[in-house]
């Protein structure tokens, strides 16, 4: 009986020692795991506290650099576009101004030519060179239309009606058209197109009527009295 108790006691003590040993190992394991966890957490904290800001800072710099490059590229493209638009606007304006100047110069030249021919025509009228005078005044009238000088154009047309045609024949008028390209009929046609206000309608009708009543040939003209 005593031996049985001793055996049980021995087994109990051995089992208790095993439990204690297991508990100690478990405790040691957890203590070791906790220490490792603390170390890992500390390392992770260091990484989070140092590495992550550096990574964020690097990313921000890279993003800023890319944004800066894109902004520079966009600004460069916008500058090129604006320059192109400015050049186009300036070119159009220059062409417009040159066109205006060219038109004004043409008008000035036409006005000078018209006045020269008108003076020459008046001189020929004074000499009774009516056919030559008509040719000069027709040329003057074309230039007065081109220069928009309607005041002097009216004077020229009145000279044609009152001072030239009464002393001429249709043959002489046709000769001016054929030989020196001084076309009275074309002048009336062009004047009709330019006269959008109908200012010259009366004098044009009078000239056409006067032409229909002229002698056909030089021989049919009545003899003029010598001055």
């Amino acid at each position: 009986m005593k031996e049985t108790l001793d055996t049980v006691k021995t087994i109990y003590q051995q089992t208790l020692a095993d439990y204690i040993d297991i508990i100690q190992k478990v405790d040691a394991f957890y203590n070791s795991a906790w220490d490792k966890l603390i170390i890992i957490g500390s390392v992770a904290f260091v990484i989070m506290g140092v590495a992550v800001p550096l990574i964020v800072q690097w990313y921000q710099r890279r993003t800023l650099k890319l944004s800066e490059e894109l902004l520079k590229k966009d600004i460069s493209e916008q500058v090129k576009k604006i320059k192109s638009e400015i050049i186009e606007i300036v070119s159009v304006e220059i062409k417009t101004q040159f066109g205006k100047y060219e038109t004004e110069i043409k008008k000035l030249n036409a006005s000078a030519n018209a006045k020269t021919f008108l003076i020459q025509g008046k001189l020929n009228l004074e000499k009774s060179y009516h056919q030559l005078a008509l040719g000069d005044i027709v040329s003057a009238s074309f230039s007065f239309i081109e220069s928009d000088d309607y005041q002097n154009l009216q004077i020229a047309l009145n000279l044609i009606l009152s001072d030239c045609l009464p002393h001429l024949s249709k043959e002489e008028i046709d000769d001016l058209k054929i030989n020196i390209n001084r076309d009275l009929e074309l002048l009336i046609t062009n004047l009709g197109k330019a006269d959008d206000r109908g200012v010259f309608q009366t004098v044009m009708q009078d000239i056409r009527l006067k032409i229909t009543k002229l002698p056909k040939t030089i021989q049919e003209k009545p003899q003029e009295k010598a001055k």
Side-chain angles (χ1 to χ4, degrees):
M1 183 67 178
K2 184 179 179 181
E3 293 178 356
T4 302
L5 290 173
D6 290 337
T7 301
V8 171
K9 183 177 180 181
T10 300
I11 294 171
Y12 172 76
Q13 289 176 346
Q14 182 65 40
T15 302
L16 181 62
D18 291 339
Y19 282 148
I20 291 172
D21 183 59
I22 291 170
I23 290 171
Q24 288 176 345
K25 288 181 179 180
V26 170
D27 183 62
F29 171 78
Y30 279 111
N31 287 334
S32 177
W34 178 254
D35 290 339
K36 290 179 181 179
L37 181 61
I38 291 174
I39 292 171
I40 292 172
S42 300
V43 172
F45 179 78
V46 170
I47 292 174
M48 293 294 293
V50 177
V52 171
L54 290 175
I55 293 172
V56 171
Q57 188 177 14
W58 171 83
Y59 178 77
Q60 289 176 339
R61 287 179 180 176
R62 180 175 176 80
T63 303
L64 182 61
K65 185 177 181 180
L66 290 174
S67 298
E68 184 179 356
E69 290 176 355
L70 290 173
L71 181 60
K72 287 181 179 179
K73 184 178 179 181
D74 184 60
I75 291 173
S76 178
E77 290 177 353
Q78 291 297 324
V79 169
K80 288 180 181 178
K81 182 179 179 181
I82 292 171
K83 283 183 178 178
S84 178
E85 291 176 353
I86 291 174
I87 290 172
E88 183 177 355
I89 292 171
V90 171
S91 297
V92 171
E93 184 63 23
I94 289 173
K95 288 180 181 178
T96 301
Q97 292 301 323
F98 270 114
K100 290 180 180 178
Y101 294 146
E102 187 176 4
T103 300
E104 290 300 319
I105 290 171
K106 286 182 178 179
K107 285 185 177 181
L108 289 173
N109 288 334
S111 178
N113 290 333
K115 290 174 181 177
T116 300
F117 277 115
L118 183 61
I119 292 171
Q120 188 171 304
K122 288 180 178 180
L123 291 174
N124 281 323
L125 283 175
E126 290 177 1
K127 298 175 183 179
S128 297
Y129 298 154
H130 298 101
Q131 186 183 25
L132 294 177
L134 177 62
D136 292 332
I137 297 173
V138 166
S139 293
S141 298
F142 276 113
S143 295
F144 281 135
I145 293 173
E146 185 179 354
S147 62
D148 296 332
D149 188 351
Y150 296 128
Q151 184 175 357
N152 280 317
L153 177 59
Q154 185 70 58
I155 293 172
L157 294 174
N158 288 333
L159 287 174
I160 290 173
L161 178 63
S162 303
D163 294 80
C164 294
L165 292 181
H167 304 279
L168 297 173
S169 64
K170 292 180 180 179
E171 181 182 356
E172 290 170 297
I173 295 173
D174 290 338
D175 285 344
L176 286 175
K177 175 182 176 181
I178 295 170
N179 295 327
I180 56 175
N181 197 30
R182 306 291 169 84
D183 192 341
L184 178 58
E185 185 61 36
L186 180 61
L187 170 65
I188 300 303
T189 300
N190 289 356
L191 181 58
K193 295 177 181 178
D195 185 24
D196 53 354
R197 297 182 181 179
V199 176
F200 300 101
Q201 289 299 315
T202 299
V203 69
M204 285 191 296
Q205 290 174 0
D206 291 341
I207 289 174
R208 285 196 176 101
L209 180 61
K210 177 72 72 174
I211 292 173
T212 61
K213 295 181 179 181
L214 293 179
K216 290 183 179 181
T217 65
I218 297 174
Q219 288 75 16
E220 294 177 1
K221 285 173 53 177
Q223 294 295 323
E224 296 186 358
K225 294 181 181 180
K227 293 182 180 179

